[in-house]
Amino acid sequence: MQQVFHRPVSLKDVQTHFCPGCHHGTIHRLVAEAMDHFELQQRTIGVASVGCSVFLYAYFDVDVVEAPHGRASAVATGVKRARPDSFVFTYQGDGDLAAIGTAEIIHAANRGEDITVVFVNNTTYGMTGGQMAPTTLVGQKTSTSPYGRQREKDGAPIRMAELLAQLEGVAYSCRVAVDSPKNLMVAERQIKTAFRYQVEGKGFSFVEVLSSCPTNWGMDPIKANERVGAEMIPYFPLGVFKNVGNL
Amino acid sequence: MRHDVFIAGFGGQGVLLAGNLLSLAAIAEGKNVCFFPSYGVEKRGGAAMCTVVIADGEVGSPVIGNPTVVIVLNQLSLEKYGSRVKPGGTLVINSSLIDSSAFARTDISTYRIPMNEIAMELGDARMVNMVATGAYVQLTGAVSDESLAEALKKALPERNHRFIPANMKAVAAGAQQIVAQAG
Amino acid sequence: MGNEECRKTGEFCLDPRTVYLAPDFVEACVQNNRLFVKGNEAVAMAALEAGCRYYFGYPITPQSDIPEFLSRELPKLDGEFIQAESEVASINMLLGASATGVRAMTSSSSPGISLKQEGISYMAGSELPGVIVNISRSGPGLGGIDASQADYFQSVKGGGHGGYRIVVLAPASVQEMYDLTMLAFDLADLYRMPAMVLADSVIGQMKEAVVPHPRPAVDLPAKEWAVQGKGGGEQRIVKSLYLGDGELEAHNWKLYAKYEQLRGKEVRWEEFLADDADLVVTAFGSVSRIAKTAIMQAREEGLKVGLLRPITLFPFPAQAYARITGRCKKVLDIELNTGQMIEDVRLSVTKDTEVFFYGRPPGAGSLPTPEELLEQIRKHY
Ligand SMILES: Cc1ncc(C[n+]2csc(CCOP(=O)(O)OP(=O)(O)O)c2C)c(N)n1
Ligand code: SF4
Ligand SMILES: [Mg+2]
């Protein structure tokens, strides 16, 4: 009998520190599967951001550089330019990429850096204890928006996948979710497509993954998983916003 | 007069509440207090721990290496802090959850109190921290029972004031254990 | 706008019963007017009482209690709370608000304070007041979140470019978190320069009793430099660019004169059992607290040990060291780093004084205990 479910070789056989019901673990797995699919483990350089995914190096069995908060795509630019033969990806949270790192992501994308960005949107700052993020939904209560996010003062949540799709340097931009078997399958496929762009040297690729944070949302894992479909997807639609090469 | 104590257990055992109550009671008596909780990385894995220092004069250090009294509510805390009790000091063990048969220090006094059973008998397992607090107050006289009752009033929202008598019973039961074991 | 309201002195703007309470202590202790709060909360309370109605920040451990408190309370006082997209943005929001003459504040922890250095340099150059709170953590780089004093150099020697100084206050208790935050606003306004409150997670996370007090009546100069729109008057400019011959040099001498004035008038320190001491321990902030207990223990052993604790790190209380080491010839400097303040201590003591050092580089498990410091005291006594 053929074994169909096995740990990707790019992932280490260790227990993660993520909270129960957190989607970070699932997303790690999908990224590692894409890596295995293209046999990239030996030439991959990952760039870790600062957030709950800061321990990227503890789970991925690939070389990793830890970037300062928000600067992962700039660090990745340096890595890729110096080692063009390597496969370079960043893994960044929404606080990291869409707040403090907005300048870096926009300009890396606009230059069309040949890198892949995995962007994990959980509508909050997970690691620091659930503060408001640029992606926090209007009305959502967080520890720094105790009365709920207000459109007038805090602005509306940023849709990064659509925003980056506007830039000429971007080859591929999509948004996926991992809250249901169906969405998971699409996510698996689209993360692979994003990887294919870099593998074929066809430019900057970006995957936004909607993710849960049961701990800071104050929900149990099941409720948190439900929230992704009930509240996030209506505002952050899933789909491919750019696919220049029709890969 | 100076008192210092570690209270340690896991999240949900009311460790921080016990520390806060002692502090509030001491403040009500006009004493100086420093309450220092463990935070951040230390807090992960569900551990909860705090240091309370009570003094008439300068409180001094919020950080204590070898406290006079250590109260441990779970096994891990005994393993972590049992060795830290100052020689001549006192260790209070929640024997409901802790197997201390291997713990063999003879240079300190050790009290074993089945806190969970006592709390349960009084109607609510969550009062483990109050049993511990009662034992501590009996041991040290750091604050009075009256101040403790006052502090409870302040710490609990009005709607929960009906729980105060039960909590004070738990305090008394903790104190009782010390009296019995010392006698 | 709450602005006029917040210029008042001698009056509380906040009802302690409704405001000062952590959620789990709804009816907390207004006992003897002593509130039992965290150091970080005391900073936020004092800022509000000092009339600060503008806060700009970015989340970072272990200071998030400050923005969390202010995001809850500032809207009630008609103030503005902005969670900026970064520390770079938040310091520049502070620059902008301060330039209009209002009291404003930002807070962060070490990595975030590094990002603020550009803005602090511009504020110093533009002679803008403004309060910056650093609940510092261990480094370098991402380091860790443990208590640290490794930002002494960065804070005291001018962390950004251009050779400026800012006021740096180092609280050692929750009460001082309150008092020195309030003082920081006054010194910033008096000297037209940024002022920093430098603490760490020990002082920020611990809870002690605080006696709150309303803003003291201090004679503050009118902010005639503040931009508010000409309104028919003279044009006002807030800037740090000086290109004319000799202009920038003159500007720097003007700034220098303020630093000298601070050194003369604003130094603050605490002496504890120092009068008859044969060994004087010196430490600031959290470590001074740990040292105090060690000193009390040493006294019980009959060792004559005292403490000299700088409260202002800039201006540094050099005169206190000079005076004490006129008599006592042994100083033990203790820091939560590998040796930074010791450079200022060495410059301040009398020539024949021996200066010893004990330091722990910050990180998980590296907070010294009083027992450990007592060992050091015995060793150098
Ligand atoms: C310059 C700087 N500012 C702030 C921080 C504190 N910090 C650590 S992680 C983080 C954000 C985490 O949120 P996100 O990127 O959304 O990742 P998540 O934890 O939600 O996966 C912040 C603000 C830091 N490390 N450095
Ligand atoms: S805090 Fe949130 S994002 Fe971080 S590991 Fe826990 S659930 Fe995941
Ligand atoms: Mg996030």
Side-chain angles (χ1 to χ4, degrees):
Chain A
M1 208 175 80
Q2 195 196 352
Q3 188 185 6
V4 286
F5 189 83
H6 59 89
R7 179 176 52 79
V9 294
S10 307
L11 271 194
K12 294 185 189 171
D13 187 13
V14 292
Q15 184 136 40
T16 70
H17 72 290
F18 300 119
C19 310
C22 177
H23 285 172
H24 265 304
T26 314
I27 300 165
H28 274 38
R29 192 184 167 89
L30 294 184
V31 171
E33 277 170 2
M35 217 175 269
D36 284 5
H37 179 80
F38 294 106
E39 296 180 348
L40 295 169
Q41 186 192 18
Q42 303 307 324
R43 63 181 182 99
T44 292
I45 302 174
V47 181
S49 67
V50 182
C52 282
S53 56
V54 71
F55 301 117
L56 201 72
Y57 50 80
Y59 308 129
F60 281 88
D61 192 7
V62 299
D63 284 1
V64 171
V65 184
E66 175 196 274
H69 187 32
R71 318 298 177 215
S73 39
V75 170
T77 298
V79 171
K80 185 74 183 189
R81 294 288 182 111
R83 294 256 174 249
D85 293 339
S86 55
F87 179 86
V88 179
F89 80 102
T90 71
Y91 187 109
Q92 304 177 251
D94 44 356
D96 190 89
L97 180 140
I100 193 168
T102 324
E104 284 77 4
I105 189 63
I106 290 206
H107 290 282
N110 196 52
R111 286 189 304 268
E113 294 298 338
D114 211 359
I115 60 174
T116 303
V117 173
V118 179
F119 169 52
V120 178
N121 174 358
N122 58 10
T123 72
T124 192
Y125 285 78
M127 181 176 237
T128 43
Q131 291 83 7
M132 184 176 71
T135 43
T136 295
L137 295 175
V138 170
Q140 185 181 335
K141 286 188 181 156
T142 69
S143 67
T144 52
S145 58
Y147 308 111
R149 184 190 184 122
Q150 291 169 273
R151 191 184 299 271
E152 312 75 56
K153 288 203 155 185
D154 308 320
I158 299 182
R159 297 186 182 97
M160 285 310 294
E162 289 90 328
L163 192 143
L164 291 178
Q166 306 298 310
L167 300 174
E168 284 194 21
V170 174
Y172 183 75
S173 176
C174 70
R175 182 182 293 111
V176 298
V178 295
D179 61 324
S180 70
K182 181 174 147 265
N183 284 342
L184 203 70
M185 271 163 60
V186 177
E188 189 185 343
R189 204 170 56 235
Q190 292 186 4
I191 289 173
K192 280 191 185 132
T193 309
F195 272 49
R196 185 179 299 279
Y197 268 94
Q198 190 181 162
V199 169
E200 296 185 4
K202 289 190 172 145
F204 182 91
S205 52
F206 182 85
V207 186
E208 174 170 341
V209 190
L210 301 183
S211 182
S212 66
C213 178
T215 302
N216 288 303
W217 294 353
M219 293 178 180
D220 62 43
I222 295 171
K223 279 262 152 46
N225 193 61
E226 280 167 11
R227 178 180 183 253
V228 175
E231 292 177 29
M232 289 174 74
I233 294 177
Y235 185 88
F236 295 112
L238 306 184
V240 178
F241 304 102
K242 198 166 191 184
N243 187 355
V244 291
N246 281 320
L247 294 186
Chain B
M1 189 264 341
R2 290 180 64 77
H3 298 281
D4 48 41
V5 57
F6 279 4
I7 312 176
F10 53 75
Q13 284 186 310
V15 163
L16 300 184
L17 182 62
N20 270 296
L21 276 177
L22 276 177
S23 307
L24 285 172
I27 287 174
E29 292 180 5
K31 290 171 178 147
N32 294 318
V33 179
C34 183
F35 165 87
F36 185 44
S38 60
Y39 67 97
V41 186
E42 272 181 72
K43 230 165 74 178
R44 291 213 189 119
M49 191 276 201
C50 65
T51 308
V52 181
V53 183
I54 301 174
D56 287 324
E58 284 276 352
V59 193
S61 179
V63 182
I64 304 292
N66 305 115
T68 328
V69 181
V70 171
I71 304 174
V72 290
L73 301 185
N74 67 343
Q75 193 74 38
L76 208 68
S77 301
L78 172 68
E79 273 139 39
K80 226 167 144 191
Y81 304 114
S83 59
R84 298 265 298 263
V85 186
K86 190 193 207 150
T90 307
L91 175 66
V92 181
I93 294 173
N94 176 13
S95 57
S96 307
L97 301 183
I98 301 174
D99 171 9
S100 57
S101 49
F103 186 79
R105 273 186 72 176
T106 51
D107 60 335
I108 57 173
S109 336
T110 305
Y111 294 86
R112 294 176 174 78
I113 304 180
M115 300 184 189
N116 284 61
E117 277 87 359
I118 293 176
M120 217 100 83
E121 250 166 56
L122 291 171
D124 193 340
R126 281 174 304 183
M127 295 191 301
V128 164
N129 59 345
M130 301 309 298
V131 178
T133 306
Y136 178 72
V137 171
Q138 177 65 34
L139 267 172
T140 60
V143 297
S144 73
D145 279 0
E146 296 77 60
S147 323
L148 212 53
E150 266 312 292
L152 259 177
K153 265 193 219 158
K154 296 191 174 72
L156 297 175
E158 193 99 43
R159 67 192 144 80
N160 288 343
H161 280 192
R162 61 204 155 90
F163 299 125
I164 294 178
N167 277 288
M168 290 310 292
K169 264 192 204 145
V171 168
Q176 184 53 43
Q177 287 283 324
I178 297 292
V179 176
Q181 292 185 33
Chain C
M1 177 77 271
N3 238 340
E4 279 316 306
E5 178 66 23
C6 72
R7 292 231 166 76
K8 278 193 224 155
T9 56
E11 243 177 77
F12 282 111
C13 1
L14 305 163
D15 173 1
R17 274 179 200 281
T18 59
V19 181
Y20 291 157
L21 313 172
D24 52 336
F25 282 87
V26 185
E27 256 306 316
C29 47
V30 188
Q31 193 89 33
N32 318 327
N33 197 27
R34 292 164 91 206
L35 305 171
F36 183 54
V37 298
K38 265 191 195 182
N40 283 343
E41 290 170 319
V43 167
M45 284 159 51
L48 295 178
E49 292 298 352
C52 170
R53 291 294 177 274
Y54 301 88
Y55 174 89
F56 314 102
Y58 186 77
I60 187 165
T61 310
Q63 61 81 55
S64 293
D65 312 283
I66 299 172
E68 286 169 8
F69 186 104
L70 292 171
S71 69
R72 191 175 77 230
E73 299 308 328
L74 271 171
K76 298 183 197 164
L77 294 164
D78 225 357
E80 294 287 341
F81 169 89
I82 298 185
Q83 186 180 304
E85 68 274 25
S86 70
E87 291 86 352
V88 178
S90 56
I91 189 75
N92 286 295
M93 290 174 184
L94 176 65
L95 187 155
S98 286
T100 71
V102 300
R103 285 193 157 182
M105 176 171 102
T106 186
S107 66
S108 189
S109 180
S110 309
I113 297 290
S114 288
L115 287 179
K116 290 185 195 289
Q117 294 304 335
E118 178 194 51
I120 297 173
S121 169
Y122 277 72
M123 288 178 72
S126 308
E127 291 185 89
L128 285 176
V131 171
I132 300 135
V133 179
N134 182 0
I135 308 298
S136 59
R137 58 188 242 184
S138 37
L142 207 45
I145 59 170
D146 307 276
S148 160
Q149 298 188 325
D151 291 358
Y152 179 91
F153 281 154
Q154 186 198 50
S155 315
V156 166
K157 309 288 180 190
H161 67 281
Y164 62 90
R165 302 295 182 120
I166 61 172
V167 173
V168 182
L169 308 175
S173 66
V174 176
Q175 182 70 52
E176 275 193 351
M177 287 289 253
Y178 190 97
D179 296 345
L180 296 182
T181 299
M182 221 172 236
L183 178 67
F185 279 100
D186 282 346
L187 291 179
D189 278 351
L190 272 170
Y191 292 88
R192 276 186 67 184
M193 59 194 281
M196 176 178 282
V197 176
L198 177 66
D200 59 28
S201 51
V202 171
I203 307 292
Q205 295 296 324
M206 73 188 192
K207 273 177 157 184
E208 291 182 323
V210 159
V211 181
H213 52 79
R215 186 172 164 188
V218 175
D219 225 356
L220 295 170
K223 294 183 172 177
E224 271 151 6
W225 44 267
V227 293
Q228 293 169 338
K230 275 181 69 175
E234 292 277 297
Q235 180 195 24
R236 291 171 176 183
I237 302 169
V238 173
K239 69 177 179 86
S240 62
L241 176 70
Y242 293 93
L243 293 177
D245 242 7
E247 257 182 19
L248 188 54
E249 184 180 357
H251 180 62
N252 269 292
W253 282 121
K254 179 187 172 198
L255 297 181
Y256 177 78
K258 292 203 281 189
Y259 307 152
E260 284 300 292
Q261 229 186 330
L262 278 158
R263 285 190 179 106
K265 294 210 304 213
E266 305 294 352
V267 281
R268 286 167 171 80
W269 70 90
E270 180 199 359
E271 288 174 25
F272 174 71
L273 307 175
D275 281 343
D276 65 339
D278 296 328
L279 171 73
V280 168
V281 173
T282 187
F284 71 95
S286 58
V287 175
S288 73
R289 288 287 297 267
I290 305 172
K292 249 186 193 173
T293 296
I295 288 165
M296 291 190 271
Q297 290 168 350
R299 284 270 168 182
E300 280 169 26
E301 293 180 9
L303 306 181
K304 286 193 202 160
V305 186
L307 175 75
L308 173 51
R309 170 174 75 95
I311 296 172
T312 51
L313 298 183
F314 185 86
F316 193 70
Q319 47 275 70
Y321 288 88
R323 194 183 56 72
I324 286 190
T325 56
R327 194 191 56 71
C328 171
K329 296 299 173 190
K330 280 183 181 180
V331 173
L332 170 59
D333 174 74
I334 306 177
E335 302 179 48
L336 210 46
N337 56 46
T338 49
Q340 299 193 11
M341 182 175 81
I342 190 167
E343 295 186 3
D344 290 322
V345 172
R346 284 218 174 96
L347 288 172
S348 308
V349 296
T350 52
K351 259 202 184 125
D352 52 345
T353 303
E354 276 185 286
V355 181
F356 308 106
F357 177 73
Y358 183 70
R360 294 284 304 263
S366 71
L367 210 52
T369 61
E371 291 84 349
E372 181 181 337
L373 299 189
L374 179 60
E375 259 321 295
Q376 291 300 316
I377 288 172
R378 290 195 195 113
K379 182 171 155 195
H380 296 292
Y381 188 76

